[in-house]
């Protein structure tokens, strides 16, 4: 079978009828026992019964996803240490946030009964006193099996149990997709400056330890399914070609997952020895910082969970940048050219997330002005939408001026103040 046609039909065809403006949000939060003890899985799972009395119903056979009439879903992502709100996309981020606020308050009310809380951080502060607490969902079990089978030599093969993030899904028309993908990848280091909130477990000074754990895991044995994006794309065909350089590591047979040593997608589907079936593409997983999804969205997935009163700042910033993409492109290109920035997207983001001084990129005053300009570019687009969404990025102005993210020592993580 043609791997190229399979990739286009599965990932790109849905963009043919998309228009910029809709946004979907996935927000994960560490669930912590305030005493520092491990999570009681039975108590944690009781949240589903609690929400079943509030309009949520089981969305799949295994009982780990509960959905309401809005299409919003609550679940535990990978582990009972990590609770997720998946908000159905729409054209008004403030309306989406309003629904989220109601769900979050209800969830916090339930968890507080036994001295638990959801917190706004990208790494779990109780890492040293808790266990993996994996949610026994078939996909999570398969991922865990792969990580432990092919990542025995890694430091934390169960790392997804201790990480939380914000993922923004954006509608983009097919013609704009290559440019949008390229520039969201270029802005990966800027989002790290604004949103890093994942201190490491070893006190080595990481701002975003999540990057390190993903990229040093067994997923690093797969080509192009984790980490930053350094390539630039001018055409959809070039993006499709990039997909063909990615790897597969799992499939389903007789309803059960199989894992295998990573295999190039083109090779897997076009070499008969692998016994591939067309619907194996349904099992494809990728964790790139910026990704094109089978839902037909451009997904920005490298942003850390934020302090509780700025949870939607990454989603609002990403939406604003997309809606004012030409201005963002002009600003990015000007910054790179005027400051002779020759480092790759990976090198730039690694400076930020590893906790190094930002003057390794360029003069910090110049960098601050650049980041501030991008916040204003996003805010301008949100203001033009006329929905009040610009208020969601107000905390970012101070972060841009000070070049301090929530993970920095000077930052008060929960109250969004210094």
């Amino acid at each position: 079978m043609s791997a190229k046609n399979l990739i286009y039909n599965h990932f790109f065809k849905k963009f043919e009828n998309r228009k910029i403006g809709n946004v979907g949000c996935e927000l994960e939060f560490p669930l912590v026992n305030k005493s520092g003890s491990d999570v009681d899985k039975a108590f944690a799972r009781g949240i589903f019964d609690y929400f079943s009395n509030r309009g949520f119903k089981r969305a799949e056979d295994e009982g780990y996803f509960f959905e309401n009439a809005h299409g919003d879903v609550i679940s535990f992502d990978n582990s009972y240490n990590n609770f997720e709100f998946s908000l159905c996309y729409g054209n008004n981020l403030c309306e989406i946030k309003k629904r989220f606020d109601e769900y979050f308050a209800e969830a916090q009310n339930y968890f507080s009964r036994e001295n638990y809380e959801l917190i706004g951080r990208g790494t779990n502060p109780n890492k040293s006193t808790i266990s993996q607490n994996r949610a026994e969902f078939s996909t999570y079990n398969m991922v865990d099996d792969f990580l432990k089978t092919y990542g025995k030599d890694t430091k934390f093969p169960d790392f997804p149990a201790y990480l939380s993030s914000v993922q923004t899904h954006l509608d983009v028309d097919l013609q704009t997709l290559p440019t949008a993908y390229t520039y969201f990848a270029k802005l990966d280091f800027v989002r790290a400056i604004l949103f890093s909130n994942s201190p490491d477990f070893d006190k080595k000074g990481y701002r975003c330890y999540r990057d390190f754990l993903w990229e040093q895991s067994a997923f690093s044995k797969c080509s192009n399914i984790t980490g930053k994006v350094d390539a630039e794309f001018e055409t959809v065909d070039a993006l499709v070609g990039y997909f063909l350089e990615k790897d597969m590591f799992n499939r389903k047979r007789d309803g059960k997952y199989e894992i295998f040593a990573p295999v190039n997608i083109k090779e897997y589907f076009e070499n008969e020895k692998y016994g591939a079936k067309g619907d194996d593409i349904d099992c494809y997983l990728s964790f790139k910082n910026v990704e094109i999804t089978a839902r037909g969205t451009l997904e920005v997935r490298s942003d850390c969970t934020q302090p509780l009163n700025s949870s939607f700042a990454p989603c609002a910033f990403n939406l604003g940048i997309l809606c004012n993409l030409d201005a963002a492109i002009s600003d990015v290109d000007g910054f790179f050219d005027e400051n002779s920035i020759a480092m790759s997207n990976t090198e730039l983001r690694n400076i930020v997330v590893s906790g190094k001084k930002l003057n390794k990129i360029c003069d910090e005053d110049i960098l601050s002005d650049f980041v501030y300009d991008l916040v204003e570019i996003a805010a301008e687009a949100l203001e033009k939408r006329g929905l009040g969404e610009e208020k969601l990025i107000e905390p970012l102005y101070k972060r841009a001026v000070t070049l301090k993210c929530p993970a920095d020592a000077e930052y008060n993580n929960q109250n969004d103040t210094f």
Side-chain angles (χ1 to χ4, degrees):
M1 69 188 81
S2 167
K4 182 176 181 179
N5 290 342
L6 189 67
I7 292 298
Y8 183 86
N9 290 331
H10 192 74
F11 292 100
F12 291 89
K13 193 172 182 62
K14 294 173 185 175
F15 287 90
E16 292 177 353
N17 299 314
R18 291 284 191 260
K19 294 181 179 179
I20 291 173
N22 283 337
V23 59
C25 313
E26 299 177 73
L27 298 97
E28 303 165 0
F29 298 88
L31 174 63
V32 299
N33 188 326
K34 293 167 72 174
S35 70
S37 302
D38 211 351
V39 170
D40 181 329
K41 292 190 286 188
F43 170 70
R45 189 170 171 80
I47 192 75
F48 293 139
D49 291 333
Y50 184 80
F51 270 88
S52 291
N53 295 324
R54 288 157 175 78
F56 282 76
K57 298 180 180 179
R58 182 178 294 184
E60 43 67 48
D61 291 341
E62 296 181 64
Y64 285 91
F65 299 84
F66 280 68
E67 184 175 0
N68 69 2
H70 289 291
D72 300 329
V73 175
I74 60 166
S75 64
F76 287 93
D77 185 271
N78 191 274
S79 166
Y80 288 105
N81 302 325
N82 192 35
F83 193 69
E84 181 171 19
F85 303 85
S86 302
L87 291 311
C88 188
Y89 76 90
N91 61 2
N92 187 328
L93 194 54
C94 289
E95 287 297 320
I96 294 172
K97 182 181 181 299
K98 182 179 178 181
R99 301 198 310 268
F100 162 80
D101 288 341
E102 295 174 0
Y103 309 149
F104 188 88
E106 291 283 6
Q108 202 73 300
N109 178 62
Y110 172 80
F111 290 129
S112 67
R113 295 176 179 182
E114 298 290 338
N115 203 35
Y116 290 80
E117 68 176 341
L118 301 172
I119 65 168
R121 215 174 96 144
T123 43
N124 196 307
N126 289 353
K127 168 66 179 68
S128 62
T129 58
I130 61 178
S131 54
Q132 183 178 5
N133 293 316
R134 187 173 73 252
E136 295 288 341
F137 181 63
S138 58
T139 303
Y140 302 153
N141 291 339
M142 177 274 294
V143 168
D144 187 69
D145 189 17
F146 178 79
L147 289 174
K148 291 178 177 176
T149 299
Y150 292 94
K152 293 177 181 178
D153 55 342
T154 60
K155 192 167 188 179
F156 301 111
D158 57 349
F159 75 93
Y162 314 106
L163 307 184
S164 302
S165 66
V166 179
Q167 293 132 48
T168 309
H169 289 266
L170 300 164
D171 272 4
V172 186
D173 62 272
L174 187 62
Q175 184 177 0
T176 305
L177 184 59
T179 302
Y181 188 87
T182 295
Y183 277 86
F184 271 96
K186 281 180 175 288
L187 289 176
D188 215 2
F189 82 102
V190 173
R191 293 196 307 277
I193 291 170
L194 292 171
F195 303 125
S196 288
N197 191 24
S198 301
D200 59 80
F201 305 138
D202 307 315
K203 297 183 179 179
K204 292 181 178 178
Y206 279 82
R207 295 184 178 101
C208 183
Y209 200 43
R210 293 174 54 256
D211 274 37
F212 173 81
L213 293 177
W214 279 102
E215 293 166 24
Q216 298 300 313
S217 74
F219 292 133
S220 67
K221 295 178 169 62
C222 305
S223 296
N224 291 323
I225 73 162
T226 191
K228 298 83 170 170
V229 177
D230 288 320
E232 298 186 16
F233 304 92
E234 295 183 358
T235 66
V236 172
D237 197 55
L239 274 174
V240 173
Y242 183 61
F243 258 79
L244 294 175
E245 298 172 8
K246 295 171 177 278
D247 282 354
M248 293 275 294
F249 65 88
N250 78 95
R251 65 186 183 187
K252 277 187 175 181
R253 290 294 181 266
D254 299 321
K256 295 182 179 181
Y257 277 107
E258 299 176 351
I259 62 168
F260 46 83
V263 181
N264 170 264
I265 283 182
K266 181 176 174 61
E267 172 73 7
Y268 177 77
F269 284 105
E270 295 188 354
N271 190 324
E272 292 183 358
K273 75 175 185 178
Y274 293 107
K277 299 178 181 179
D279 59 6
D280 288 349
I281 196 65
D282 294 336
C283 296
Y284 166 81
L285 289 174
S286 176
F287 310 98
K288 277 297 220 187
N289 287 15
V290 183
E291 191 53 274
I292 292 166
T293 76
R295 301 173 186 174
T297 61
L298 176 64
E299 183 182 13
V300 183
R301 52 175 299 117
S302 57
D303 300 332
C304 299
T305 295
Q306 297 297 288
L308 296 182
N309 61 352
S310 57
S311 296
F312 274 74
C315 303
F317 178 78
N318 293 329
L319 177 62
I321 289 295
L322 179 62
C323 291
N324 206 356
L325 188 58
D326 287 344
I329 289 171
S330 177
D331 205 45
V332 171
D333 287 348
F335 171 77
F336 276 74
D337 291 343
E338 291 166 15
N339 295 284
S340 301
I341 304 293
M343 288 178 281
S344 68
N345 298 339
T346 294
E347 291 168 329
L348 287 167
R349 184 171 169 99
N350 281 346
I351 288 172
V352 183
V353 301
S354 63
K356 294 178 181 177
K357 292 183 179 180
L358 300 182
N359 60 14
K360 290 182 176 294
I361 297 174
C362 70
D363 178 87
E364 289 194 5
D365 287 338
I366 294 173
L367 182 61
S368 174
D369 288 344
F370 170 58
V371 176
Y372 194 95
D373 285 347
L374 287 168
V375 174
E376 287 202 315
I377 285 169
E380 179 183 276
L382 297 176
E383 288 171 7
K384 286 182 179 179
R385 284 164 59 86
L387 302 171
E389 297 160 322
E390 66 276 5
K391 66 186 178 184
L392 299 176
I393 62 172
E394 287 178 359
L396 304 187
Y397 288 103
K398 191 168 187 178
R399 298 185 196 180
V401 169
T402 61
L403 293 178
K404 298 296 181 185
C405 61
D408 285 320
E410 299 89 341
Y411 196 100
N412 183 318
N413 193 18
Q414 293 304 308
N415 296 316
D416 227 335
T417 58
F418 291 95

